[in-house]
Amino acid sequence: MEKIRVVHYINQFYAGIGGEDKADIAPLEYQGAKGPGIGLMQEFKEQADIVATVVCGDSYFGENIDEATGIILEMIKKHNPDVVITGPAFNAGRYGVAAGAVAQAVKYKLGIPTVSGMYEENPGADMFKKFTYMVETKSSAVGMKDALQKMAPLAIRLAKGESIGTSAEEGYMERGIRVNTFMPERGAKRAVDMLMAKLNDQPFETEYPMPVFDRVEPQPAVKDITKARIAIVSSGGPVPKGNPEHIESSSASKYGRYSIEGVMDLDETNGETAHGGYDPCYANEDLDRVIPLDVLREMEAAGEIGSLHNFYYSTVGNGTSVANSKAYAKEIAKFLKEDHVDAVILTST
Amino acid sequence: MVKEIESQGFPVVHMCTVVPISMTVGANRIVPTIAIPHPLGDPSLSVEDEKELRRKLVRKALVALETEVDGQTVFEV
């Protein structure tokens, strides 16, 4: 039997091209397996071959989503694969978005089945889990072997056209797709059984889970911005020069609250970024590129805004858990209330 | 963070480059910015032009904060 043809999509880091300094490279391709693809090849157990590896820099993809997807699709198409694997991206946000977007485009534009993998809090998971088989992985490459062991067999089965069970049975993320199936008991009986279990505090599994909409109602607009007090918050890791509180470059365990009283401009002497998820050279040269302090000070002086709250708040959004970010934001909001802040500009990188 | 701060009663404008992520996160007022490593600047411009670009982006953010929205809204510069 002929071997299954696989094309694998990874980022510049896993391709061994470089870290953040190379995150702006345009799509390119290699013959055969590269990086985690070598691990996939072992898991394929001679049944499949990675015929090509397509690579794109994470920032390039994030800043040129449509164009990059188009180029990548062309690269993938000409290898005529039976299945395409993207990632695993773990908790790398831009990589997760790229891996998800490529998987979706391949599935819907080329009609080729796809498997992706990432951590459940990766923004790419929520964005794309409906459009591809997405395996849940650990948050970092520590979970590489485990991820590849799940992704490889799923890819092989998809390539062979085998039927795939439910998300709970197979361990991929729920896609929100309902499939007709026969049950031994009729609906009325199942419903009453569930109700009885619920009344008796027994465990039961709903057949129709409600979607979770984690949304916040928009706050009313600011009435008069020229009277408003504005605060700056950022997940791009801006910190005073030297990062006095040692905010971690990823998975930050804290946030910083930094005085900007009397500071009119940021430059290489008074600010830098602690963020390890993007090339820091531009922010380190002029931190106004991440938090626009200089122009806000000008606008404050000119009366375009009422005033600027005299602290900025910062954490590193890179791989930081949702629970931690929420906790930091709650504390930040207390400080904002104390100083009667009216509105917030939050910047992300 | 955007959602939690907003839920505490502050209108928040999210200035970021990868708008789809901001949409997923649930920001209600979004201003798209220049690039991931320099959202509010462009090192290829002269100092004056770069500052003017930043001014434009921040003015758009202020417009966003002054605008009533019923759901997620992107304010293109």
Side-chain angles (χ1 to χ4, degrees):
Chain A
M1 203 184 95
E2 247 183 80
K3 280 191 184 175
I4 292 163
R5 296 171 65 81
V6 181
V7 174
H8 188 206
Y9 174 85
I10 53 176
N11 72 357
Q12 86 286 348
F13 176 75
Y14 284 100
I17 296 170
E20 288 305 330
D21 54 326
K22 299 287 183 197
D24 57 356
I25 61 153
L28 51 113
E29 60 184 310
Y30 296 91
Q31 279 197 330
K34 220 170 166 54
I38 295 162
L40 280 173
M41 287 290 285
Q42 286 171 9
E43 300 300 332
F44 289 151
K45 304 196 172 30
E46 309 281 317
Q47 294 187 75
D49 253 337
I50 294 181
V51 292
T53 302
V54 174
V55 178
C56 182
D58 285 336
S59 288
Y60 186 91
F61 194 94
E63 290 166 8
N64 310 279
I65 294 179
D66 295 337
E67 183 209 332
T69 306
I71 299 170
I72 290 165
L73 277 184
E74 285 305 312
M75 287 178 172
I76 290 174
K77 192 173 155 187
K78 66 172 191 279
H79 294 288
N80 198 21
D82 301 303
V83 63
V84 172
I85 299 180
T86 67
F90 305 105
N91 200 17
R94 285 166 302 156
Y95 186 19
V97 172
V102 170
Q104 178 188 23
V106 168
K107 169 96 195 326
Y108 288 86
K109 299 210 168 130
L110 303 183
I112 297 167
T114 55
V115 176
S116 189
M118 63 191 71
Y119 182 57
E120 61 172 339
E121 285 192 6
N122 191 312
D126 259 356
M127 289 163 75
F128 297 105
K129 65 185 176 187
K130 285 190 176 162
F131 309 112
T132 179
Y133 288 100
M134 193 172 284
V135 169
E136 184 174 338
T137 71
K138 293 205 170 70
S139 63
S140 76
V142 171
M144 180 64 86
K145 198 171 168 56
D146 181 54
L148 301 181
Q149 280 173 348
K150 289 183 193 157
M151 291 164 75
L154 190 57
I156 286 181
R157 288 172 53 206
L158 282 165
K160 287 181 177 168
E162 288 180 17
S163 73
I164 305 293
T166 66
S167 55
E169 288 161 13
E170 304 272 358
Y172 57 86
M173 294 183 198
E174 215 177 272
R175 292 181 304 159
I177 293 174
R178 280 185 277 166
V179 180
N180 286 328
T181 177
F182 286 102
M183 303 293 281
E185 310 251 358
R186 62 182 188 279
K189 168 126 190 359
R190 300 202 306 275
V192 172
D193 286 347
M194 272 191 263
L195 180 62
M196 292 306 287
K198 186 172 184 175
L199 291 171
N200 289 314
D201 289 326
Q202 298 287 316
F204 66 94
E205 206 173 314
T206 176
E207 291 178 15
Y208 192 51
M210 289 291 131
V212 183
F213 291 111
D214 191 14
R215 286 287 178 262
V216 170
E217 280 293 299
Q219 289 293 325
V222 174
K223 293 269 174 299
D224 181 357
I225 204 82
T226 66
K227 303 264 177 348
R229 178 165 294 173
I230 307 290
I232 306 169
V233 181
S234 181
S235 67
V239 288
K241 186 82 182 165
N243 189 7
E245 293 187 58
H246 308 290
I247 294 186
E248 297 89 340
S249 61
S250 74
S251 303
S253 68
K254 51 183 160 292
Y255 69 95
R257 176 176 189 255
Y258 301 112
S259 171
I260 40 172
E261 200 167 346
V263 181
M264 304 308 282
D265 189 16
L266 296 166
D267 54 34
E268 74 274 15
T269 67
N270 60 4
E272 63 182 41
T273 181
H275 202 292
Y278 63 91
D279 186 344
C281 69
Y282 312 105
N284 290 348
E285 205 172 82
D286 181 358
L287 196 60
D288 293 304
R289 290 168 175 158
V290 177
I291 49 171
L293 176 87
D294 58 348
V295 300
L296 281 165
R297 281 292 187 213
E298 277 181 14
M299 291 173 182
E300 182 183 33
E304 280 186 63
I305 60 169
S307 60
L308 188 61
H309 174 60
N310 264 329
F311 290 85
Y312 73 85
Y313 302 83
S314 164
T315 194
V316 164
N318 184 20
T320 302
S321 75
V322 172
N324 276 350
S325 309
K326 215 171 156 168
Y328 306 156
K330 201 168 222 142
E331 289 182 30
I332 291 167
K334 272 189 206 155
F335 288 117
L336 302 181
K337 273 180 198 162
E338 279 168 19
D339 198 40
H340 307 289
V341 167
D342 297 297
V344 172
I345 292 177
L346 197 152
T347 68
S348 289
T349 45
Chain B
M1 286 186 108
V2 174
K3 263 191 311 216
E4 184 62 27
I5 293 176
E6 184 127 359
S7 76
Q8 299 290 324
F10 302 93
V12 179
V13 56
H14 192 202
M15 305 189 77
C16 64
T17 303
V18 190
V19 173
I21 294 188
S22 182
M23 294 294 285
T24 304
V25 164
N28 288 318
R29 294 175 171 88
I30 301 167
V31 172
T33 53
I34 306 302
I36 291 164
H38 44 82
L40 287 142
D42 183 347
S44 70
L45 299 177
S46 68
V47 175
E48 295 76 34
D49 288 350
E50 188 180 17
K51 202 163 175 185
E52 188 50 38
L53 172 72
R54 182 152 57 243
R55 231 174 252 132
K56 247 189 229 160
L57 288 162
V58 171
R59 284 201 177 113
K60 185 54 87 170
L62 298 178
V63 167
L65 289 170
E66 278 193 299
T67 307
E68 298 291 355
V69 297
D70 340 313
Q72 295 190 290
T73 309
V74 178
F75 295 81
E76 295 281 349
V77 177

